[in-house]
């Protein structure tokens, strides 16, 4: 690949990766400000956390809106609509006067953030195929994988100078920047002759047709349940590591960062291996590693093992997401061309909807570390089941 094409590819990865990172950015940036926000709005912690739930729901189901829209009207118009909505809703969050206003604004903000997530994958599918698509997905994960690591730390640092309203003002500024960069750096990648025809029922029909596509749905659910395991880890690990193992916030951030870096590195290595062994082989290998690591995690948690004994299988349980995620997502998207927007939407819905279910499940039981481990193991076990029954049997 020439230096010019490599530079162009990296430029696209940065812009599209930033769009894909809108989800975790909207979710994680304001987390350190939740207690302050609850006090300022005179509401309970549980009510304040509903704003997080609303954002996750918006991120999941908003992809069902922007995916089919992009198949009908092209990629750029829905993308710019979503960024304009993100700007408006971020301002609304910043000026909300009570928790009910904030929850509604957060739901709409999540829907807006979903546009960036679904369209970044759809644009990548328009531009690339095969191993190149897998490599590009890995670049997206490299950029996107840093967002959940950096966002909470950045949000906590920002609270030294601004309050929670200021954080949403920063998100509004981010929306302006991304609107500008998208307008300047991206171009329409879905030509008119390749767009789906018809109205809203035709767009919904493309989604329903994908639901009946067993190999695609198998890969979609495989990736979705693996990502649900990651959400279970994100939701439970602060309580497990800080309150059960008594790590300081700084040490917890270090552990969180190490696991995140492991995920990003595994994504990059797996894309190089995919050229030699193929994406399907790597998904199979990743699922085997996921099974072994999550079983070891449950054993360590059930025995109240020392911290290091818990952290090792936890690292591999998170790292394996970088192997399965890009390869399963690439295989799913490679099977779709004209319906790439709808396909990307279903991939996103599976990730966020299943993740939203997995997070509260980790709260059951009297042993938080064991609950986290069992939830991750359960998610990975269902992912293996989906792969075996829907993908391998229909390959």
């Amino acid at each position: 690949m020439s230096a010019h094409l490599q530079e162009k590819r990296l430029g696209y990865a940065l812009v599209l990766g930033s769009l894909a990172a809108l989800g975790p950015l909207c979710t994680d940036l304001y987390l350190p400000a939740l207690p302050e926000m609850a006090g300022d709005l005179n509401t309970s912690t549980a009510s304040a956390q509903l704003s997080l739930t609303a954002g996750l729901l918006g991120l999941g189901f908003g992809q069902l809106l922007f995916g089919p829209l992009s198949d009908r009207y092209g990629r750029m118009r829905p993308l710019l609509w979503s960024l304009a909505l993100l700007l408006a809703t971020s301002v609304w969050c910043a000026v909300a006067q009570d928790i009910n206003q904030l929850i509604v604004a957060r739901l709409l903000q999540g829907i807006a953030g979903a546009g960036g997530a679904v369209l970044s994958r759809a644009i990548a599918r328009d531009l690339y195929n095969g191993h190149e698509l897998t490599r590009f997905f890995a670049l997206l994960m490299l950029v996107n994988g840093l967002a959940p690591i950096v966002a909470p730390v950045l949000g906590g640092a920002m609270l030294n100078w601004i309050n929670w309203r200021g954080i949403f003002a920063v998100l509004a500024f981010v929306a302006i920047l991304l609107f500008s960069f998208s307008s300047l750096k991206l171009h329409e990648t879905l030509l008119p002759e390749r767009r789906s025809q018809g109205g809203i029922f035709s767009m919904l029909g493309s989604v329903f047709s994908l639901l009946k596509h067993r190999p695609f749905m198998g890969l979609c659910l495989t990736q979705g349940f693996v990502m649900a395991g990651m959400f279970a880890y994100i939701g439970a690990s602060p309580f497990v590591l800080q309150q059960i193992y008594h790590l300081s916030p700084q040490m917890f951030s270090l552990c969180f960062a190490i696991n995140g870096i492991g995920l990003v590195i595994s994504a990059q290595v797996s894309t190089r291996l995919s050229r030699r062994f193929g994406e399907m082989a790597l998904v199979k290998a990743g699922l085997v590693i996921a099974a072994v690591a999550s079983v070891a995690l449950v054993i360590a948690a059930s025995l109240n093992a020392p911290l290091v004994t818990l952290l090792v299988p936890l690292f591999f349980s998170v790292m394996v997401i970088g192997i399965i995620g890009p390869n399963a997502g690439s295989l799913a998207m490679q099977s779709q061309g004209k319906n790439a927007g709808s396909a990307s939407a279903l991939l996103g819905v599976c990730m966020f909807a299943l993740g939203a279910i997995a997070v509260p499940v980790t709260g059951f039981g009297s042993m938080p570390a064991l609950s986290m481990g069992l939830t991750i193991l359960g998610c990975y076990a269902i992912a293996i089941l989906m792969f075996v029954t829907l993908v391998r049997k229909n390959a």
Side-chain angles (χ1 to χ4, degrees):
M1 182 181 293
S2 69
H4 173 71
L5 289 177
Q6 181 73 15
E7 181 180 350
K8 185 176 181 180
R9 181 170 170 269
L10 289 173
Y12 264 92
L14 288 174
V15 177
L16 297 179
S18 298
L19 291 169
L22 280 177
L25 194 64
C26 290
T27 301
D28 298 342
L29 189 64
Y30 86 117
L31 287 182
L34 273 174
E36 176 193 332
M37 186 183 74
D40 190 40
L41 294 178
N42 195 27
T43 190
S44 66
T45 300
S47 296
Q49 288 176 331
L50 284 177
S51 66
L52 177 60
T53 302
L56 283 173
L57 289 174
L59 282 168
F61 291 99
Q63 302 196 41
L64 285 176
L65 170 65
F66 286 106
L69 278 176
S70 74
D71 288 336
R72 175 66 179 86
Y73 297 104
R75 312 304 186 202
M76 287 304 297
R77 276 196 288 174
L79 175 60
L80 297 179
W81 294 341
S82 71
L83 293 173
L85 179 61
L86 179 65
L87 171 60
T89 53
S90 297
V91 172
W92 188 6
C93 288
V95 301
Q97 296 302 304
D98 59 56
I99 191 61
N100 293 325
Q101 288 185 27
L102 184 65
I103 289 173
V104 174
R106 282 284 298 156
L107 177 65
L108 294 175
Q109 187 186 49
I111 292 173
V118 68
L119 288 164
S120 62
R121 292 190 298 267
I123 292 172
R125 174 60 184 87
D126 293 338
L127 294 171
Y128 303 103
N129 205 348
H131 295 303
E132 280 300 309
L133 181 61
T134 305
R135 289 186 65 194
F136 200 85
F137 271 23
L139 279 174
L140 288 182
M141 182 163 281
L142 174 62
V143 179
N144 195 22
L146 295 175
I149 302 171
V150 174
V153 178
L154 182 60
M158 289 166 59
L159 289 175
N160 292 321
W161 293 281
I162 57 178
N163 60 15
W164 66 272
R165 296 183 186 276
I167 289 178
F168 285 113
V170 169
L171 285 173
F173 180 69
V174 169
I176 295 174
L177 286 180
L178 287 177
F179 188 98
S180 302
F181 280 118
S182 298
S183 301
L184 294 173
K185 297 293 184 180
L186 301 181
H187 64 274
E188 183 56 62
T189 56
L190 186 65
L191 300 177
E193 57 269 21
R194 296 180 55 216
R195 298 175 189 176
S196 61
Q197 303 300 316
I200 184 66
F201 293 108
S202 175
M203 291 189 291
L204 292 175
S206 66
V207 174
F208 286 117
S209 67
L210 289 171
L211 291 173
K212 295 183 288 186
H213 194 290
R214 292 172 67 86
F216 170 80
M217 287 306 303
L219 290 164
C220 188
L221 290 169
T222 298
Q223 186 194 51
F225 276 105
V226 167
M227 296 301 293
M230 185 183 75
F231 277 105
Y233 153 73
I234 291 173
S237 60
F239 181 75
V240 171
L241 296 181
Q242 292 186 76
Q243 297 193 20
I244 304 302
Y245 284 92
H246 307 293
L247 290 186
S248 67
Q250 292 75 24
M251 287 303 298
F252 166 73
S253 297
L254 177 61
C255 290
F256 198 84
I258 290 172
N259 288 337
I261 291 170
L263 186 155
V264 171
I265 291 175
S266 68
Q268 302 308 303
V269 172
S270 72
T271 56
R272 294 182 180 275
L273 294 176
S274 69
R275 284 186 172 274
R276 181 175 179 181
F277 300 104
E279 288 88 349
M280 189 67 73
L282 285 171
V283 173
K284 294 176 184 177
L287 289 173
V288 171
I289 297 172
V292 174
S294 56
V295 168
L297 178 63
V298 168
I299 293 173
S302 63
L303 296 175
N304 291 315
L307 178 61
V308 174
T309 309
L310 183 82
L311 288 178
V312 172
L314 183 61
F315 172 83
F316 284 100
S317 295
V318 175
M319 177 273 291
V320 76
I321 297 167
I323 300 174
I324 301 170
N327 288 287
S330 176
L331 285 171
M333 292 295 290
Q334 285 178 46
S335 67
Q336 306 300 320
K338 192 171 82 169
N339 293 327
S342 299
S344 179
L346 282 175
L347 283 170
V349 168
C350 282
M351 284 190 285
F352 286 105
L354 295 174
I357 295 171
V359 171
V361 172
T362 61
F364 293 112
S366 58
M367 299 176 65
L370 181 59
S371 296
M372 178 183 71
L374 286 172
T375 304
I376 294 173
L377 173 60
C379 290
Y380 289 174
I382 298 174
I384 293 170
L385 179 63
M386 294 297 101
F387 181 80
V388 171
T389 58
L390 296 178
V391 180
R392 287 191 63 185
K393 286 188 176 180
N394 293 275

